[in-house]
Amino acid sequence: MFDYRNNLKRILNQTAGDDKSLRNGLAAIKMILGMADDGAAPEATVKTRDTAVKVDAKQVNLLLSGLADLISTPGDPAAKNTALSAIHRLTFTPNIGASYGKSLSQLEQAIQASNTTKDVINKKIFEQAMQPKEKPVRDYRKGKRYTVIRLLGGCDLINGNNQRVYTLKESQIHSLNLKSGDIVEAVPEENNPNYEATILRVVGFRKLSATEVDKISTFKYAVVQGRTGHLSVSRNIKGQKLRIRGKAVLLPVDSSQFQEGNVQLVDGSIVDLAWYDGDVRLKKNPADAIQLRWIYQVDQPKSKPVIKKKKVKAVQDEVAITKLDMDLHYQRVGIAIGDNQNEAMLEGIVNRYHGIPIPIDAFQGKKKVMENQIKDLDIVILVTAFAAHDSTWNIREFASKYNVKFAVSSSKGYQAFERALYRAAKGFPAYEGNQTIKYETE
């Protein structure tokens, strides 16, 4: 007899509570029960009132498999093709068309009408965001030690004889927050011709004399203002003025000054500036001496769409996109998370509220590296589901030391992280716990 038990279990487990899913599941179950018989051969025999019908068990299995996948993922093209192909073959089986033609026709129409829902799309996006990124394989035994000499953009790596060995670009070191004197381990870059070497880790620091390195001043998180062709910088996101040798300066900027990538500056862009303190051009023309060190990739605020409330469905859609009443105003938000896990989704939440997401490797055991990452932040959110235990204490210690707003998300979920971000921005307790916190919405 055709063993239909596992197929029935699979269909029942995949059947949701909506009408369409229930109808598809019921049709599939009826099909199985109608075709079950005592035959043990690959071909099962279905007895009707007047005649015996031989059914290809392989096509039945394909049909059931396609239906199960379609119930689990409505509108899936591969599942639809599998189920429809099996139905067509069964229809041409002798006496099947006469006995089950109407049921097969209804099932075919239901399959063709199956469409991908918004929930399925959101589920796929979430699953993709949850997949951990592959960590590059690095052989730390091959790394050699060099001392960092910071440049206006990027840095030089020098060996023990004070000879320059490699020059790295700003994009390679910006997230490491390196400064002159840091001791790093690096290896030659073989896979990317655009880079000379890759830094493996920061291992120490030594103080350099004034004769070994030129002093560099920086102006971080400066706000670009003006219209295209007439952009300038005078303040940063905290409202502090750009001052050169104690004098306030209005600095014209142009994206062509930025050496890496083809990034266009617009009104509201956030940039880092750097200059050598001893540059004689600072006195006469600061624009010639000051360089754009970095341009942050920040989504510009968009005008809120007008939502027309016509039907109940429109109201439901409006609730689905409800945002918390929060605007980070381009504050730097450190996301303490390990191994880049779930990073894309959490960075998207920060961007949604106009913040600048900066990932922090919470599995990194080096306190010096973690301190350098945290000291220039405005907010740091610790995702305890991904953080190493010893790193948790380090992050709290440095957040307190540098007066960085701090909150904890005990879950890796979207809402838990969003609420932790809200508590930190509003000055509420770091832990939600059992206390009642009112999260205002827009």
Side-chain angles (χ1 to χ4, degrees):
M1 181 178 182
F2 175 65
D3 190 353
Y4 54 84
R5 294 173 298 173
N6 289 333
N7 290 318
L8 280 177
K9 290 179 182 178
R10 186 179 178 187
I11 290 177
L12 290 174
N13 289 335
Q14 299 290 347
T15 302
D18 58 280
D19 292 342
K20 181 183 290 186
S21 182
L22 290 171
R23 283 197 298 270
N24 290 344
L26 181 60
I29 291 172
K30 287 182 177 180
M31 191 75 178
I32 298 171
L33 297 178
M35 293 181 177
D37 198 11
D38 295 330
E43 291 187 347
T45 302
V46 179
K47 294 184 178 180
T48 63
R49 296 177 181 177
D50 302 322
T51 183
V53 180
K54 290 185 178 181
V55 180
D56 188 350
K58 180 180 179 181
Q59 298 305 322
V60 175
N61 279 326
L62 286 175
L63 174 59
L64 298 178
S65 176
L67 288 174
D69 292 339
L70 204 57
I71 293 171
S72 176
T73 309
D76 180 58
K80 291 176 72 171
N81 290 336
T82 300
L84 290 174
S85 176
I87 288 177
H88 293 161
R89 289 181 178 274
L90 289 172
T91 302
F92 288 106
T93 301
N95 295 326
I96 283 288
S99 302
Y100 303 99
K102 185 177 180 180
S103 298
L104 289 174
S105 178
Q106 292 176 347
L107 184 57
E108 181 179 6
Q109 291 177 5
I111 292 172
Q112 290 176 342
S114 178
N115 295 318
T116 302
T117 63
K118 183 179 179 180
D119 291 337
V120 173
I121 296 174
N122 292 338
K123 179 182 177 182
K124 287 184 177 180
I125 294 173
F126 181 77
E127 289 175 348
Q128 291 174 358
M130 287 291 293
Q131 291 179 353
K133 297 180 181 179
E134 292 184 4
K135 192 174 183 179
V137 179
R138 293 174 176 173
D139 189 352
Y140 290 92
R141 296 171 296 177
K142 296 181 179 180
K144 294 183 178 181
R145 294 197 172 188
Y146 304 95
T147 302
V148 173
I149 302 294
R150 200 68 163 91
L151 306 175
L152 294 187
C155 71
D156 285 338
L157 299 184
I158 62 174
N159 59 18
N161 298 324
N162 290 329
Q163 296 176 329
R164 186 187 67 81
V165 182
Y166 301 112
T167 298
L168 306 185
K169 296 183 178 182
E170 185 68 26
S171 57
Q172 293 180 268
I173 66 172
H174 187 81
S175 61
L176 298 176
N177 197 24
L178 295 179
K179 59 181 177 295
S180 295
D182 282 336
I183 301 174
V184 300
E185 288 184 354
V187 293
E189 180 58 64
E190 299 176 353
N191 299 325
N192 192 333
N194 297 319
Y195 299 143
E196 295 182 15
T198 299
I199 291 179
L200 299 178
R201 55 188 173 183
V202 181
V203 295
F205 175 81
R206 72 181 180 91
K207 189 174 182 180
L208 301 176
S209 65
T211 59
E212 292 180 280
V213 60
D214 294 322
K215 188 176 180 181
I216 297 176
S217 292
T218 60
F219 190 65
K220 293 188 174 183
Y221 308 106
V223 181
V224 177
Q225 295 177 314
R227 65 182 188 278
T228 304
H230 298 82
L231 298 171
S232 62
V233 167
S234 61
R235 298 174 183 269
N236 62 13
I237 59 176
K238 291 186 176 181
Q240 299 168 336
K241 292 183 178 181
L242 171 62
R243 295 183 181 273
I244 305 298
R245 296 180 177 177
K247 183 180 178 181
V249 173
L250 179 65
L251 180 73
V253 292
D254 188 344
S255 59
S256 62
Q257 299 173 344
F258 190 60
Q259 301 299 320
E260 295 189 45
N262 184 22
V263 182
Q264 297 297 322
L265 291 180
V266 295
D267 182 39
S269 294
I270 309 297
V271 301
D272 284 351
L273 306 176
W275 62 90
Y276 292 112
D277 287 353
D279 197 323
V280 295
R281 297 174 296 176
L282 289 173
K283 186 175 181 180
K284 292 184 178 180
N285 191 1
D288 292 339
I290 300 176
Q291 180 175 312
L292 274 174
R293 171 175 279 185
W294 191 251
I295 301 177
Y296 292 93
Q297 300 289 341
V298 179
D299 294 335
Q300 300 300 320
K302 298 180 180 179
S303 58
K304 296 180 181 179
V306 177
I307 302 176
K308 297 180 180 179
K309 300 180 181 179
K310 290 183 177 181
K311 299 179 181 180
V312 176
K313 182 179 179 181
V315 176
Q316 293 175 345
D317 291 341
E318 183 181 3
V319 173
I321 60 172
T322 297
K323 292 175 60 177
L324 296 179
D325 185 14
M326 171 175 57
D327 193 330
L328 299 176
H329 297 291
Y330 302 110
Q331 293 186 77
R332 297 152 294 174
V333 180
I335 306 173
I337 192 169
D339 200 20
N340 293 327
Q341 299 182 60
N342 218 31
E343 180 181 310
M345 185 185 74
L346 301 185
E347 286 184 357
I349 299 173
V350 176
N351 285 327
R352 187 185 189 203
Y353 293 101
H354 311 143
I356 303 172
I358 301 175
I360 299 174
D361 189 351
F363 283 120
Q364 174 60 258
K366 298 291 182 181
K367 292 185 66 175
K368 181 67 177 178
V369 176
M370 193 165 293
E371 182 175 7
N372 286 337
Q373 289 179 313
I374 292 176
K375 68 180 182 180
D376 292 324
L377 298 176
D378 299 300
I379 297 173
V380 60
I381 305 298
L382 172 63
V383 184
T384 56
F386 292 139
H389 183 70
D390 55 344
S391 296
T392 301
W393 294 106
N394 292 338
I395 292 170
R396 295 191 63 178
E397 175 188 344
F398 296 136
S400 176
K401 179 179 178 180
Y402 294 104
N403 295 319
V404 178
K405 300 174 185 176
F406 175 76
V408 174
S409 173
S410 58
S411 167
K412 62 188 177 181
Y414 185 104
Q415 189 178 53
F417 180 84
E418 187 179 45
R419 290 191 171 195
L421 190 61
Y422 181 90
R423 293 196 304 275
K426 301 292 185 180
F428 291 148
Y431 294 88
E432 190 168 28
N434 296 325
Q435 55 197 324
T436 302
I437 298 176
K438 186 175 182 181
Y439 296 92
E440 302 287 347
T441 57
E442 292 185 351

